Every structure is written in structure tokens, then in C-alpha cells.
Amino acid sequence: MLMPKTEPGGCDIGLNLGGRTYFSSAEDEFVNRLYCRSVPLEAAHVSSPRCQAEGCNADLTNAKHYHRRHKVCEFHSKASTVIAAGLTQRFCQQCSRFHLLSEFDNGKRSCRRRLADHNRRRRKSSHNQDHNKSLVTVTSNQSLSSEIISRYEPD
């Protein structure tokens, strides 16, 4: 290992290799402590992720990332009714959280608000496509009409 060069002001210059700068061995311990992660807690002290549904003790440790992130097991993420936080609710696939049943239409799995946003975006894009198609049709019809007229006009 190369030793850092000491400048007249007493500052050490480290050797920069990629994302890490290497210093003298005296400073190396300090730098290593900065880069080290904190010591992981023992497994007994860390509680494993569990489903939010009342009465569900599903351990989400080995579940998909989505289910761990939102703290809901696969069964309760698709269930039509779930008791969570003492209320009868349903998990919204769009919001990724529980809502009261009154925020859903019939058996839908997305709340009304998110469905309305989704439908508005779909209508907007289909309206733009229809508008663009009609412009192309009008433009092509106008050019076709001018071409026909120019062919049959007497010189």
C-alpha cells in the first residue's frame, strides 16, 4: 500500500482508487469505521414483518417484496373484505393500502378515486388519438380533392 504524501500544512493526501480513498494506517481505522455498517441486531430483537389484517399471523419474511413492503399477505391483498385497524376494509391495488369498503364499487379491487384518474387518463389519450386520426383523414381528403380537381381542370 502506498503511504499518503504529507503536505507542508500537515494535511494528508490519500490515494483515490475508484469510490474509496486510502489513507495512512493511523487514519485507516477511522475511515473503515465510517464505511462499516452498524452491527446488525440479533434476530431475536428484530420482529419479522407481519400482515396488517387482524387475526392474520402470516410471516412475510419469505413473501414477495411487494407484500413485505405493504405489510399484507397475498391472501388479504386479494380478499374482498378484511378487518384491519378494527374496520372492515379492502386492499386497493392502485394505492397499495387499505380503504373502507364505501370507497370501492361492488367487487372492484381499486378505489373509485384511482379508477376515476385511470379512466380520465385513458379517455384523454384515446380522445387525442381520435382527434389526430380525424385530422389525418381531413388532410388526406383535402389533398385528394385538390389532386382530382387539378387533373380535370382544362389547361
Side-chain angles (χ1 to χ4, degrees):
M1 179 171 157
L2 293 175
M3 295 303 287
K5 178 177 156 186
T6 304
E7 291 194 343
C11 296
D12 287 339
I13 297 175
L15 175 63
N16 188 352
L17 295 174
R20 180 158 181 198
T21 303
Y22 294 89
F23 297 95
S24 69
S25 59
E27 294 173 340
D28 201 28
E29 285 181 43
F30 173 74
V31 172
N32 281 337
R33 272 188 264 131
L34 290 176
Y35 280 104
C36 288
R37 292 179 180 220
S38 62
V39 179
L41 299 173
E42 292 181 27
H45 296 298
V46 177
S47 62
S48 56
R50 301 271 176 194
C51 181
Q52 296 177 56
E54 288 183 15
C56 182
N57 291 321
D59 182 7
L60 302 176
T61 304
N62 297 321
K64 293 178 182 176
H65 176 71
Y66 177 86
H67 298 292
R68 284 194 317 269
R69 182 178 179 192
H70 299 294
K71 296 179 185 160
V72 63
C73 67
E74 187 171 1
F75 175 79
H76 287 113
S77 70
K78 296 175 181 176
S80 58
T81 59
V82 175
I83 305 292
L87 302 168
T88 305
Q89 302 184 60
R90 182 178 297 157
F91 189 76
C92 176
Q93 289 182 336
Q94 297 292 315
C95 302
S96 298
R97 64 187 195 94
F98 285 102
H99 295 294
L100 295 174
L101 293 178
S102 61
E103 297 183 44
F104 293 90
D105 285 332
N106 301 324
K108 302 235 188 252
R109 291 189 184 157
S110 297
C111 64
R112 257 187 240 102
R113 193 181 109 237
R114 289 297 180 108
L115 278 176
D117 292 344
H118 172 75
N119 290 335
R120 191 177 327 104
R121 284 191 301 273
R122 286 189 65 208
R123 268 188 247 111
K124 192 181 293 185
S125 65
S126 68
H127 173 70
N128 289 342
Q129 288 173 352
D130 292 344
H131 182 68
N132 290 341
K133 284 180 185 175
S134 64
L135 284 177
V136 169
T137 305
V138 168
T139 307
S140 62
N141 285 343
Q142 286 175 346
S143 61
L144 183 61
S145 300
S146 356
E147 186 180 321
I148 291 171
I149 291 172
S150 65
R151 281 188 188 172
Y152 293 104
E153 283 185 350
D155 291 328

